[in-house]
Amino acid sequence: MEFLSTADFWIGLMKIVWINIILSGDNAVVIALAARSLPAQQQKKAIMFGSGAAVFLRIVLTVVAAKLLELSFLQVIGGCLLLWIGYQLLTGGEEEEGQAKGKGSMAAAIRTILIADLVMSLDNVIAVAATAQGNMVLLILGLAISIPLVIFGSTLMIKLMDRFPVIITLGAALIGWVGGETIVNDNLLHGVAMAHPWLHYVAAAAGAVLVVAVGKWMQARQVKPLA
């Protein structure tokens, strides 16, 4: 336990916590969107279970992330999953707003949180792992401390979504943006992305627009005219 008295340990811990504060914004949005359709008494449980499981998953993922990122098509598949999740959360979040509230499944919400976090964490954990420099105690402590940050952010987002429904659309657009980024970051497209840096932003913007456009179009189709 001598490492606890070293300055390098505490500096590294502060770096990891700060990285997680920066990277937890999109995770908090996903958790809030997934949990907001649950009954009020189940929202806190979904947020806690989802956040805890997501952080644990991120710890495990850190060990193999570098190798996973070398696989072609993995981030393309992951990005497409995020686009689908963004679409599902958008249509599920605003569709029949008054009636759908409180009828969601906690298991489905947690599953959505885990899948989204798994995809969104693939490249994020590289930064955390690099900061930890192989110190698993430092890594686990830093990520564990990030749990309340994600929980607080998710709880705040749910309250804001209830008060300002437009945030649901913005949240879905954010997930679409990350989905587009994930696709273009795939190892298969690395050469093209390096040759055309603007492609990164075009793909991200296209992902956001696609999720919102398709989601709104499907909502419009589902609206039945009054007799």
Side-chain angles (χ1 to χ4, degrees):
M1 302 292 287
E2 294 181 358
F3 59 85
L4 291 176
S5 61
T6 64
D8 289 343
F9 174 83
W10 294 106
I11 292 173
L13 181 60
M14 291 177 63
K15 287 180 180 178
I16 288 180
V17 172
W18 182 243
I19 288 172
N20 277 281
I21 290 174
I22 296 173
L23 300 180
S24 293
D26 47 6
N27 299 92
V29 170
V30 170
I31 293 172
L33 283 170
R36 69 180 300 276
S37 63
L38 298 174
Q41 63 272 22
Q42 291 187 8
Q43 285 183 355
K44 291 183 178 179
K45 290 182 180 180
I47 290 174
M48 292 184 66
F49 288 143
S51 301
V55 172
F56 174 77
L57 181 64
R58 190 173 296 184
I59 293 173
V60 176
L61 184 62
T62 300
V63 180
V64 295
K67 292 296 182 183
L68 289 176
L69 288 175
E70 294 176 1
L71 300 177
S72 298
F73 290 110
L74 181 65
Q75 291 198 81
V76 172
I77 295 173
C80 291
L81 273 175
L82 281 181
L83 295 178
W84 174 252
I85 288 173
Y87 162 75
Q88 288 288 329
L89 293 177
L90 176 60
T91 55
E94 293 184 346
E95 181 183 68
E96 298 178 356
E97 178 71 21
Q99 299 176 10
K101 183 82 170 177
K103 292 186 179 181
S105 163
M106 186 162 70
I110 293 177
R111 183 174 64 249
T112 298
I113 292 168
L114 288 178
I115 293 175
D117 190 79
L118 172 64
V119 177
M120 297 166 80
S121 297
L122 276 175
D123 47 3
N124 290 352
V125 294
I126 297 296
V128 177
T131 303
Q133 296 181 341
N135 189 328
M136 290 304 295
V137 175
L138 181 60
L139 177 64
I140 293 172
L141 278 176
L143 292 177
I145 292 173
S146 73
I147 294 178
L149 298 175
V150 177
I151 292 175
F152 172 77
S154 304
T155 303
L156 177 62
M157 287 302 303
I158 288 178
K159 293 179 180 179
L160 289 175
M161 286 174 185
D162 287 338
R163 187 168 182 180
F164 306 104
V166 68
I167 295 179
I168 299 171
T169 301
L170 296 176
L174 173 61
I175 297 172
W177 179 281
V178 177
E181 283 184 324
T182 303
I183 292 173
V184 81
N185 284 338
D186 189 89
N187 187 49
L188 183 69
L189 302 174
H190 179 73
V192 178
M194 290 294 291
H196 307 284
W198 51 267
L199 188 60
H200 175 87
Y201 300 101
V202 171
V209 171
L210 180 65
V211 167
V212 174
V214 174
K216 292 295 185 182
W217 178 65
M218 289 301 296
Q219 286 177 6
R221 287 191 60 186
Q222 291 165 357
V223 174
K224 298 179 179 180
L226 296 176

